Every structure is written in C-alpha cells, then in structure tokens.
Coordinates of all heavy atoms in Angstrom, one line a residue:
M1 N -18.9 23.6 -34.5 CA -19.2 22.2 -34.8 C -19.8 21.6 -33.5 O -19.2 21.7 -32.4 CB -18.0 21.4 -35.2 CG -18.2 20.0 -35.4 SD -16.7 19.0 -35.7 CE -16.1 19.8 -37.2
A2 N -21.0 21.0 -33.5 CA -21.6 20.5 -32.3 C -21.2 19.1 -31.9 O -21.3 18.8 -30.8 CB -23.1 20.5 -32.5
T3 N -20.7 18.4 -32.9 CA -20.3 17.0 -32.6 C -18.9 16.8 -32.9 O -18.3 17.5 -33.7 CB -21.2 16.0 -33.3 OG1 -21.0 16.2 -34.7 CG2 -22.7 16.1 -33.0
S4 N -18.3 15.8 -32.3 CA -16.9 15.4 -32.6 C -16.9 14.4 -33.8 O -17.8 13.7 -34.0 CB -16.3 14.7 -31.4 OG -16.3 15.6 -30.3
Q5 N -15.8 14.4 -34.5 CA -15.6 13.5 -35.6 C -14.3 12.7 -35.2 O -13.3 13.3 -34.8 CB -15.4 14.2 -36.9 CG -16.5 15.1 -37.3 CD -16.2 15.8 -38.6 OE1 -15.2 15.6 -39.2 NE2 -17.0 16.8 -38.9
Y6 N -14.4 11.4 -35.4 CA -13.3 10.6 -35.0 C -12.7 9.8 -36.2 O -13.4 9.4 -37.1 CB -13.7 9.5 -34.0 CG -14.1 10.2 -32.7 CD1 -15.5 10.4 -32.5 CD2 -13.2 10.6 -31.7 CE1 -15.9 11.0 -31.3 CE2 -13.6 11.2 -30.6 CZ -15.0 11.4 -30.4 OH -15.4 12.0 -29.2
R7 N -11.4 9.7 -36.3 CA -10.7 8.9 -37.3 C -9.5 8.3 -36.6 O -9.0 8.8 -35.6 CB -10.2 9.9 -38.4 CG -9.7 9.2 -39.6 CD -9.4 10.2 -40.7 NE -8.2 10.9 -40.3 CZ -7.6 11.8 -41.1 NH1 -8.1 12.0 -42.3 NH2 -6.6 12.4 -40.7
V8 N -9.1 7.1 -37.0 CA -8.1 6.4 -36.4 C -6.8 7.3 -36.2 O -6.3 7.8 -37.1 CB -7.7 5.1 -37.2 CG1 -6.5 4.4 -36.5 CG2 -8.9 4.2 -37.3
G9 N -6.4 7.4 -34.9 CA -5.2 8.1 -34.6 C -5.3 9.6 -34.5 O -4.4 10.3 -34.1
V10 N -6.5 10.2 -35.0 CA -6.7 11.6 -34.9 C -8.1 12.0 -34.4 O -9.0 11.3 -34.8 CB -6.5 12.3 -36.4 CG1 -6.7 13.8 -36.3 CG2 -5.2 11.9 -36.9
V11 N -8.1 12.9 -33.5 CA -9.4 13.4 -33.0 C -9.6 14.8 -33.4 O -8.8 15.7 -33.2 CB -9.5 13.3 -31.4 CG1 -10.8 13.8 -30.9 CG2 -9.2 11.9 -31.0
Y12 N -10.8 15.1 -34.0 CA -11.1 16.5 -34.5 C -12.2 17.0 -33.6 O -13.2 16.3 -33.3 CB -11.6 16.5 -35.9 CG -10.5 16.1 -36.9 CD1 -10.3 14.8 -37.3 CD2 -9.7 17.1 -37.4 CE1 -9.3 14.5 -38.2 CE2 -8.7 16.8 -38.4 CZ -8.5 15.5 -38.7 OH -7.6 15.2 -39.6
R13 N -12.1 18.3 -33.2 CA -13.2 18.9 -32.6 C -13.1 20.4 -32.8 O -12.1 21.0 -32.5 CB -13.2 18.7 -31.1 CG -14.2 19.7 -30.4 CD -14.8 19.2 -29.3 NE -15.7 20.0 -28.5 CZ -16.0 21.3 -28.7 NH1 -15.6 22.0 -29.7 NH2 -16.9 21.9 -27.9
A14 N -14.1 21.0 -33.4 CA -14.2 22.5 -33.6 C -12.9 23.0 -34.3 O -12.3 23.9 -33.9 CB -14.4 23.2 -32.3
D15 N -12.5 22.2 -35.4 CA -11.3 22.6 -36.1 C -10.0 22.5 -35.3 O -9.0 23.0 -35.7 CB -11.4 24.0 -36.7 CG -12.6 24.1 -37.7 OD1 -12.8 23.0 -38.4 OD2 -13.2 25.1 -37.8
N16 N -10.0 21.8 -34.2 CA -8.8 21.6 -33.4 C -8.5 20.1 -33.5 O -9.4 19.3 -33.5 CB -9.0 22.0 -32.0 CG -9.4 23.5 -31.9 OD1 -8.8 24.3 -32.5 ND2 -10.5 23.7 -31.2
S17 N -7.3 19.7 -33.4 CA -7.0 18.3 -33.5 C -5.7 17.9 -32.7 O -4.9 18.7 -32.5 CB -6.9 17.8 -34.9 OG -5.8 18.5 -35.6
V18 N -5.7 16.7 -32.3 CA -4.6 16.1 -31.6 C -4.3 14.7 -32.3 O -5.3 14.1 -32.8 CB -4.8 15.9 -30.1 CG1 -5.0 17.2 -29.4 CG2 -5.9 14.9 -29.8
Q19 N -3.1 14.3 -32.3 CA -2.8 13.0 -32.8 C -2.3 12.1 -31.7 O -1.4 12.5 -31.0 CB -1.7 13.1 -33.9 CG -1.4 11.8 -34.5 CD -0.4 11.9 -35.6 OE1 0.3 12.9 -35.8 NE2 -0.2 10.8 -36.4
I20 N -2.9 11.0 -31.5 CA -2.5 10.0 -30.5 C -1.4 9.1 -31.1 O -1.7 8.4 -32.1 CB -3.7 9.2 -30.0 CG1 -4.7 10.2 -29.4 CG2 -3.2 8.2 -29.0 CD1 -6.0 9.6 -29.0
T21 N -0.2 9.1 -30.6 CA 0.9 8.4 -31.2 C 1.1 7.0 -30.5 O 0.8 6.9 -29.4 CB 2.2 9.2 -31.1 OG1 2.5 9.4 -29.7 CG2 2.1 10.5 -31.8
P22 N 1.5 6.1 -31.3 CA 1.7 4.7 -30.7 C 3.0 4.7 -29.8 O 3.8 5.6 -29.8 CB 2.0 3.9 -32.0 CG 2.5 4.8 -33.0 CD 1.9 6.1 -32.7
S23 N 3.0 3.6 -29.1 CA 4.1 3.4 -28.2 C 5.4 3.2 -28.9 O 5.4 2.5 -29.9 CB 3.9 2.2 -27.3 OG 5.0 1.9 -26.4
R24 N 6.5 3.8 -28.5 CA 7.8 3.6 -29.1 C 8.7 3.2 -27.9 O 8.8 3.9 -26.9 CB 8.3 4.8 -29.8 CG 7.6 5.1 -31.1 CD 8.3 6.0 -32.0 NE 8.1 7.3 -31.6 CZ 8.8 8.3 -32.2 NH1 9.7 8.1 -33.1 NH2 8.6 9.6 -31.8
S25 N 9.4 2.1 -28.1 CA 10.4 1.7 -27.0 C 9.7 1.5 -25.7 O 10.3 1.8 -24.7 CB 11.6 2.6 -26.9 OG 12.2 2.8 -28.2
G26 N 8.4 1.1 -25.7 CA 7.7 0.9 -24.4 C 7.3 2.1 -23.7 O 7.0 2.1 -22.5
N27 N 7.3 3.3 -24.3 CA 6.9 4.5 -23.6 C 5.5 4.8 -23.4 O 5.0 5.7 -22.8 CB 7.6 5.8 -24.2 CG 7.0 6.1 -25.6 OD1 6.1 5.5 -26.1 ND2 7.6 7.2 -26.2
G28 N 4.6 3.9 -24.0 CA 3.2 4.1 -23.9 C 2.5 5.0 -24.9 O 1.3 5.2 -24.8
G29 N 3.3 5.7 -25.7 CA 2.7 6.6 -26.7 C 2.6 8.0 -26.1 O 3.0 8.3 -25.1
G30 N 1.8 8.8 -26.9 CA 1.7 10.2 -26.4 C 0.6 10.9 -27.3 O -0.1 10.3 -28.0
V31 N 0.6 12.2 -27.1 CA -0.4 13.1 -27.8 C 0.4 14.2 -28.4 O 1.2 14.9 -27.8 CB -1.4 13.6 -26.8 CG1 -2.4 14.6 -27.5 CG2 -2.2 12.5 -26.2
V32 N 0.2 14.5 -29.7 CA 0.8 15.6 -30.4 C -0.3 16.6 -30.7 O -1.3 16.3 -31.3 CB 1.4 15.1 -31.7 CG1 2.0 16.3 -32.5 CG2 2.5 14.1 -31.5
M33 N -0.2 17.8 -30.3 CA -1.1 18.9 -30.5 C -1.0 19.4 -31.9 O 0.1 19.8 -32.3 CB -1.0 20.0 -29.5 CG -1.1 19.6 -28.1 SD -2.7 18.9 -27.7 CE -3.8 20.2 -28.0
L34 N -2.0 19.3 -32.8 CA -1.9 19.7 -34.1 C -2.6 21.0 -34.4 O -2.5 21.6 -35.4 CB -2.6 18.6 -35.1 CG -1.9 17.2 -35.0 CD1 -2.7 16.2 -35.8 CD2 -0.5 17.3 -35.4
G35 N -3.4 21.5 -33.4 CA -4.2 22.7 -33.6 C -4.3 23.4 -32.2 O -3.9 22.9 -31.2
R36 N -5.0 24.5 -32.2 CA -5.3 25.1 -30.9 C -6.8 25.4 -30.8 O -7.5 25.6 -31.7 CB -4.5 26.4 -30.7 CG -4.8 27.5 -31.7 CD -3.9 28.7 -31.4 NE -4.1 29.2 -30.1 CZ -4.6 30.5 -29.9 NH1 -4.9 31.2 -30.9 NH2 -4.7 30.9 -28.7
S37 N -7.2 25.5 -29.5 CA -8.6 25.7 -29.2 C -8.8 27.1 -28.8 O -7.9 27.9 -28.7 CB -9.1 24.8 -28.1 OG -8.5 25.1 -26.9
D38 N -10.1 27.5 -28.6 CA -10.4 28.8 -28.1 C -10.1 29.0 -26.7 O -10.1 30.1 -26.1 CB -11.8 29.2 -28.4 CG -12.8 28.3 -27.7 OD1 -12.4 27.4 -27.0 OD2 -14.0 28.5 -27.9
G39 N -9.7 27.9 -26.0 CA -9.3 27.9 -24.6 C -10.4 27.9 -23.6 O -10.2 28.0 -22.4
V40 N -11.7 27.7 -24.0 CA -12.8 27.7 -23.1 C -13.3 26.2 -22.9 O -13.6 25.6 -23.9 CB -13.9 28.6 -23.5 CG1 -15.1 28.4 -22.5 CG2 -13.5 30.0 -23.6
L41 N -13.3 25.7 -21.7 CA -13.8 24.4 -21.4 C -15.2 24.6 -20.8 O -15.4 25.6 -20.1 CB -12.9 23.7 -20.5 CG -11.5 23.5 -21.0 CD1 -10.5 23.0 -19.9 CD2 -11.5 22.5 -22.2
N42 N -16.1 23.7 -21.0 CA -17.4 23.8 -20.5 C -18.1 22.5 -20.0 O -19.1 22.1 -20.4 CB -18.3 24.5 -21.6 CG -19.6 24.9 -21.1 OD1 -19.9 25.0 -19.9 ND2 -20.5 25.2 -22.0
P43 N -17.4 21.8 -19.0 CA -18.0 20.6 -18.5 C -19.2 20.9 -17.6 O -19.1 21.7 -16.7 CB -16.8 19.9 -17.7 CG -16.0 21.1 -17.3 CD -16.2 22.2 -18.4
G44 N -20.3 20.2 -17.9 CA -21.5 20.4 -17.1 C -22.0 21.8 -17.0 O -22.6 22.2 -16.0
G45 N -21.7 22.6 -18.0 CA -22.1 24.0 -18.0 C -21.3 25.0 -17.2 O -21.6 26.2 -17.1
I46 N -20.2 24.5 -16.7 CA -19.2 25.4 -15.9 C -18.1 25.8 -16.8 O -17.3 24.9 -17.2 CB -18.7 24.6 -14.7 CG1 -19.8 24.2 -13.8 CG2 -17.7 25.5 -13.9 CD1 -19.5 23.3 -12.7
R47 N -18.0 27.0 -17.2 CA -17.0 27.5 -18.1 C -15.8 28.0 -17.4 O -15.9 28.8 -16.5 CB -17.6 28.7 -18.9 CG -18.8 28.3 -19.8 CD -19.4 29.4 -20.5 NE -18.5 30.1 -21.3 CZ -18.3 29.9 -22.6 NH1 -19.0 29.0 -23.2 NH2 -17.5 30.6 -23.3
F48 N -14.6 27.5 -17.9 CA -13.3 28.0 -17.4 C -12.3 27.7 -18.5 O -12.5 27.0 -19.4 CB -13.0 27.3 -16.1 CG -12.8 25.8 -16.1 CD1 -11.5 25.3 -16.3 CD2 -13.9 25.0 -16.0 CE1 -11.3 23.9 -16.4 CE2 -13.7 23.6 -16.0 CZ -12.4 23.1 -16.3
G49 N -11.1 28.3 -18.3 CA -10.1 28.2 -19.3 C -9.0 27.3 -18.7 O -8.8 27.2 -17.5
P50 N -8.2 26.6 -19.6 CA -7.1 25.8 -19.1 C -6.1 26.7 -18.2 O -5.4 26.1 -17.3 CB -6.4 25.4 -20.4 CG -7.5 25.4 -21.4 CD -8.3 26.6 -21.0
T51 N -6.0 28.0 -18.5 CA -5.1 28.8 -17.7 C -5.4 28.8 -16.2 O -4.5 28.9 -15.4 CB -5.1 30.2 -18.2 OG1 -4.8 30.2 -19.6 CG2 -4.1 31.1 -17.6
D52 N -6.7 28.6 -15.9 CA -7.1 28.5 -14.5 C -6.4 27.3 -13.8 O -6.1 27.4 -12.7 CB -8.6 28.4 -14.4 CG -9.3 29.6 -14.9 OD1 -8.9 30.7 -14.6 OD2 -10.4 29.4 -15.6
I53 N -6.2 26.2 -14.6 CA -5.6 25.0 -14.0 C -4.1 25.2 -14.0 O -3.4 25.0 -13.1 CB -5.9 23.8 -14.9 CG1 -7.4 23.6 -15.0 CG2 -5.2 22.5 -14.3 CD1 -8.1 23.2 -13.7
Y54 N -3.5 25.8 -15.2 CA -2.1 26.0 -15.3 C -1.6 26.9 -14.2 O -0.5 26.7 -13.6 CB -1.7 26.6 -16.6 CG -2.1 25.7 -17.8 CD1 -2.5 26.3 -19.0 CD2 -2.1 24.3 -17.8 CE1 -2.9 25.6 -20.1 CE2 -2.5 23.6 -18.9 CZ -2.9 24.2 -20.0 OH -3.2 23.4 -21.1
S55 N -2.3 28.0 -13.9 CA -1.8 28.9 -12.9 C -1.7 28.3 -11.5 O -0.9 28.8 -10.7 CB -2.8 30.1 -12.8 OG -4.1 29.7 -12.4
V56 N -2.4 27.3 -11.2 CA -2.3 26.6 -9.9 C -1.1 25.6 -10.0 O -0.3 25.5 -9.1 CB -3.6 25.8 -9.6 CG1 -3.4 25.0 -8.3 CG2 -4.7 26.8 -9.4
L57 N -1.1 24.7 -11.0 CA -0.1 23.6 -11.0 C 1.3 24.0 -11.6 O 2.2 23.3 -11.3 CB -0.7 22.5 -11.9 CG -1.9 21.8 -11.4 CD1 -2.5 20.8 -12.3 CD2 -1.7 21.2 -10.0
E58 N 1.4 25.0 -12.3 CA 2.7 25.4 -12.9 C 3.3 26.6 -12.1 O 3.5 27.6 -12.7 CB 2.6 25.7 -14.4 CG 2.2 24.4 -15.2 CD 2.2 24.6 -16.7 OE1 2.5 25.7 -17.1 OE2 2.0 23.6 -17.4
N59 N 3.6 26.3 -10.8 CA 4.2 27.3 -10.0 C 5.4 26.7 -9.2 O 5.6 25.5 -9.3 CB 3.2 28.1 -9.1 CG 2.6 27.1 -8.1 OD1 3.3 26.3 -7.5 ND2 1.3 27.3 -7.8
D60 N 6.1 27.5 -8.5 CA 7.3 26.9 -7.8 C 6.9 25.8 -6.8 O 7.7 24.9 -6.6 CB 8.0 28.1 -7.1 CG 8.7 29.0 -8.0 OD1 8.9 28.6 -9.2 OD2 8.9 30.2 -7.6
E61 N 5.8 26.0 -6.1 CA 5.4 25.0 -5.1 C 5.3 23.6 -5.7 O 5.8 22.6 -5.2 CB 4.1 25.4 -4.4 CG 3.6 24.4 -3.4 CD 2.3 24.7 -2.8 OE1 1.8 25.8 -3.1 OE2 1.7 23.9 -2.1
Y62 N 4.6 23.5 -6.8 CA 4.4 22.2 -7.5 C 5.6 21.8 -8.3 O 5.8 20.6 -8.4 CB 3.1 22.2 -8.3 CG 1.9 22.2 -7.5 CD1 1.2 23.3 -7.2 CD2 1.4 21.0 -7.0 CE1 0.0 23.3 -6.4 CE2 0.2 20.9 -6.2 CZ -0.4 22.1 -6.0 OH -1.6 22.1 -5.2
S63 N 6.4 22.7 -8.7 CA 7.6 22.4 -9.4 C 8.6 21.6 -8.4 O 9.2 20.7 -8.8 CB 8.3 23.6 -9.9 OG 9.5 23.3 -10.5
K64 N 8.6 22.1 -7.2 CA 9.4 21.4 -6.2 C 8.9 20.0 -5.9 O 9.7 19.1 -5.5 CB 9.4 22.2 -4.9 CG 10.1 23.5 -5.0 CD 10.0 24.3 -3.7 CE 10.6 25.7 -3.9 NZ 10.3 26.6 -2.7
M65 N 7.6 19.7 -6.2 CA 7.1 18.4 -6.0 C 7.3 17.5 -7.2 O 7.0 16.3 -7.2 CB 5.6 18.5 -5.8 CG 5.2 19.1 -4.5 SD 3.4 19.2 -4.5 CE 3.1 19.7 -2.8
G66 N 7.8 18.1 -8.3 CA 8.2 17.3 -9.5 C 7.3 17.5 -10.7 O 7.5 16.9 -11.7
I67 N 6.4 18.4 -10.6 CA 5.6 18.7 -11.8 C 6.3 19.6 -12.8 O 6.7 20.7 -12.4 CB 4.2 19.3 -11.4 CG1 3.4 18.3 -10.7 CG2 3.5 19.8 -12.7 CD1 2.0 18.8 -10.2
E68 N 6.5 19.1 -14.0 CA 7.3 19.9 -15.0 C 6.4 20.7 -15.9 O 6.6 21.8 -16.3 CB 8.2 19.0 -15.8 CG 9.4 18.5 -15.0 CD 10.4 17.7 -15.8 OE1 10.1 17.5 -17.0 OE2 11.4 17.3 -15.2
E69 N 5.3 20.0 -16.4 CA 4.4 20.6 -17.4 C 3.0 20.0 -17.2 O 2.9 18.8 -16.7 CB 4.8 20.3 -18.8 CG 6.0 21.1 -19.3 CD 6.2 20.8 -20.8 OE1 5.4 21.3 -21.6 OE2 7.2 20.1 -21.1
T70 N 2.0 20.7 -17.6 CA 0.6 20.2 -17.6 C -0.1 20.6 -18.9 O 0.3 21.5 -19.6 CB -0.2 20.8 -16.4 OG1 -0.2 22.2 -16.5 CG2 0.4 20.4 -15.1
L71 N -1.1 19.8 -19.3 CA -1.9 20.1 -20.5 C -3.3 19.7 -20.1 O -3.6 18.6 -19.6 CB -1.4 19.2 -21.6 CG -2.2 19.2 -22.9 CD1 -2.2 20.6 -23.5 CD2 -1.8 18.2 -23.9
V72 N -4.2 20.6 -20.4 CA -5.6 20.4 -20.1 C -6.4 20.4 -21.5 O -6.2 21.3 -22.3 CB -6.2 21.5 -19.2 CG1 -7.7 21.3 -19.0 CG2 -5.5 21.6 -17.9
V73 N -7.2 19.4 -21.7 CA -7.9 19.3 -22.9 C -9.4 18.9 -22.6 O -9.6 18.2 -21.6 CB -7.4 18.3 -23.9 CG1 -6.0 18.7 -24.4 CG2 -7.3 16.9 -23.4
G74 N -10.3 19.3 -23.5 CA -11.7 18.9 -23.3 C -12.0 17.8 -24.3 O -11.5 17.7 -25.4
L75 N -12.8 16.8 -23.8 CA -13.2 15.6 -24.6 C -14.7 15.6 -24.6 O -15.3 15.5 -23.6 CB -12.6 14.3 -24.0 CG -13.0 13.0 -24.7 CD1 -12.5 13.0 -26.1 CD2 -12.6 11.9 -23.9
M76 N -15.3 15.7 -25.8 CA -16.7 15.7 -26.0 C -17.3 14.3 -25.6 O -16.7 13.3 -26.0 CB -17.2 16.0 -27.4 CG -16.8 17.4 -27.8 SD -17.4 18.7 -26.7 CE -19.1 18.6 -27.1
V77 N -18.4 14.2 -24.9 CA -19.0 13.0 -24.5 C -20.5 13.1 -24.7 O -21.0 14.2 -25.0 CB -18.7 12.6 -23.0 CG1 -17.3 12.3 -22.8 CG2 -19.2 13.7 -22.1
E78 N -21.2 12.0 -24.6 CA -22.7 12.0 -24.7 C -23.2 12.6 -26.0 O -24.0 13.5 -26.0 CB -23.3 12.7 -23.5 CG -23.0 12.0 -22.2 CD -23.6 12.8 -21.0 OE1 -24.5 13.6 -21.1 OE2 -23.1 12.5 -19.9
G79 N -22.6 12.2 -27.1 CA -23.0 12.6 -28.4 C -22.8 14.1 -28.6 O -23.5 14.7 -29.4
G80 N -21.8 14.7 -27.9 CA -21.5 16.1 -28.1 C -22.3 17.1 -27.2 O -22.1 18.3 -27.3
S81 N -23.1 16.5 -26.3 CA -23.9 17.4 -25.4 C -23.1 17.9 -24.2 O -23.6 18.8 -23.5 CB -25.2 16.7 -25.0 OG -24.9 15.6 -24.2
D82 N -22.0 17.3 -23.9 CA -21.2 17.7 -22.8 C -19.8 17.3 -23.0 O -19.4 16.7 -24.1 CB -21.7 16.9 -21.5 CG -21.3 17.6 -20.2 OD1 -20.6 18.7 -20.3 OD2 -21.6 17.1 -19.2
E83 N -18.9 17.7 -22.2 CA -17.5 17.4 -22.3 C -16.9 17.1 -20.9 O -17.4 17.5 -19.9 CB -16.7 18.5 -23.0 CG -16.4 19.7 -22.2 CD -15.6 20.8 -22.9 OE1 -14.7 20.4 -23.7 OE2 -15.8 21.9 -22.6
K84 N -15.8 16.3 -20.9 CA -15.1 16.1 -19.7 C -13.7 16.7 -19.9 O -13.2 16.8 -21.0 CB -15.0 14.6 -19.3 CG -14.4 13.7 -20.3 CD -14.5 12.3 -19.7 CE -14.2 11.2 -20.8 NZ -14.3 9.9 -20.2
V85 N -13.1 17.0 -18.8 CA -11.8 17.7 -18.9 C -10.7 16.7 -18.5 O -10.9 16.0 -17.4 CB -11.7 18.9 -17.9 CG1 -10.4 19.5 -17.9 CG2 -12.8 19.9 -18.3
I86 N -9.7 16.6 -19.3 CA -8.6 15.6 -19.0 C -7.3 16.4 -18.8 O -7.0 17.4 -19.5 CB -8.4 14.7 -20.2 CG1 -9.7 13.9 -20.5 CG2 -7.2 13.7 -20.0 CD1 -9.7 13.1 -21.7
L87 N -6.7 16.1 -17.7 CA -5.4 16.8 -17.3 C -4.3 15.8 -17.5 O -4.2 14.7 -16.9 CB -5.5 17.2 -15.8 CG -4.2 17.7 -15.2 CD1 -3.8 19.0 -15.9 CD2 -4.4 18.0 -13.7
F88 N -3.3 16.2 -18.3 CA -2.1 15.4 -18.5 C -1.0 16.2 -17.7 O -0.9 17.4 -17.7 CB -1.6 15.4 -20.0 CG -2.6 14.7 -20.9 CD1 -3.6 15.4 -21.5 CD2 -2.5 13.3 -21.1 CE1 -4.5 14.8 -22.3 CE2 -3.3 12.7 -21.9 CZ -4.4 13.4 -22.5
V89 N -0.2 15.4 -16.9 CA 0.9 16.0 -16.1 C 2.2 15.3 -16.4 O 2.3 14.0 -16.3 CB 0.5 15.8 -14.6 CG1 1.6 16.4 -13.7 CG2 -0.8 16.4 -14.2
K90 N 3.2 16.1 -16.7 CA 4.5 15.5 -16.9 C 5.3 15.7 -15.6 O 5.4 16.9 -15.1 CB 5.2 16.3 -18.0 CG 6.7 15.8 -18.3 CD 7.3 16.5 -19.4 CE 8.8 16.1 -19.5 NZ 9.5 17.0 -20.5
V91 N 5.8 14.6 -15.0 CA 6.5 14.7 -13.7 C 8.0 14.4 -13.9 O 8.3 13.6 -14.8 CB 5.9 13.8 -12.7 CG1 4.5 14.2 -12.3 CG2 5.9 12.4 -13.1
R92 N 8.8 15.0 -13.1 CA 10.2 14.7 -13.1 C 10.4 13.4 -12.4 O 9.9 13.1 -11.4 CB 10.9 15.8 -12.4 CG 12.4 15.8 -12.4 CD 13.0 17.1 -11.7 NE 12.4 17.4 -10.5 CZ 11.6 18.5 -10.2 NH1 11.3 19.2 -11.2 NH2 11.1 18.7 -9.0
L93 N 11.2 12.5 -13.0 CA 11.5 11.2 -12.5 C 12.7 11.2 -11.6 O 13.6 12.0 -11.7 CB 11.7 10.2 -13.6 CG 10.4 10.0 -14.4 CD1 10.7 9.0 -15.6 CD2 9.3 9.5 -13.6

C-alpha cells in the first residue's frame, strides 16, 4: 500500500494498525498495537529496523537511567512519499 488510510482513532498502514486511546484519569491516553509491521523503516531513503534503536536504548546503561521500554514506529508523511520515525519511551518514575 503506497498511501496511508486514516479513520478516527485508528491508523492503518500496509495492513498494520495502531489504536490511539483517549485519556483516562488524566493519563493523556496511549497507543495500542493492533498489528505488526515488517520491521523496516525508511525515512528519507535510509533503511533501518526498530531493533537498531532498541539495541541501543534497551540495555543496562539506559535501564539505570530509568528507561523501561521503547517503541519505534514509522508515520507516513507528504502523501505517502516519505515517513518520519517516532520513538516512544516509557521511563521509570
């Protein structure tokens, strides 16, 4: 699929989807992964996998700094001709 399709609360791309959830009890909402991708990101023609990011951020050094989990997703922009990479980080409070 060359272009993204949008529907309220759900984003579809290449048969992969996430659901953006509303805020509950003031937590600001969240993202529920409903599908899985092929794992290849391609912003600006530079191809890499989310594992390249995870291998850096999900190790003992960053764990000591408070990083518990990370999630990397690609978001199509410019009518589907490119994508940007978004990094979500769960930190220990």
Side-chain angles (χ1 to χ4, degrees):
M1 179 186 300
T3 60
S4 298
Q5 299 175 13
Y6 297 95
R7 191 172 69 173
V8 176
V10 179
V11 178
Y12 291 91
R13 168 144 176 3
D15 297 326
N16 305 307
S17 59
V18 299
Q19 181 177 13
I20 300 171
T21 61
S23 176
R24 291 199 276 173
S25 303
N27 68 1
V31 177
V32 177
M33 300 302 295
L34 302 173
R36 66 181 294 247
S37 69
D38 63 1
V40 177
L41 301 167
N42 191 14
I46 301 170
R47 295 175 60 92
F48 63 94
T51 305
D52 297 320
I53 305 292
Y54 302 146
S55 64
V56 173
L57 295 177
E58 293 185 0
N59 64 40
D60 290 338
E61 178 184 351
Y62 286 97
S63 178
K64 291 175 187 173
M65 294 176 169
I67 293 180
E68 291 186 353
E69 285 186 73
T70 58
L71 173 65
V72 177
V73 295
L75 176 64
M76 297 304 289
V77 295
E78 299 177 19
S81 64
D82 201 359
E83 74 178 329
K84 59 181 164 181
V85 176
I86 301 173
L87 171 64
F88 295 93
V89 179
K90 179 182 176 187
V91 295
R92 185 173 49 253
L93 299 177

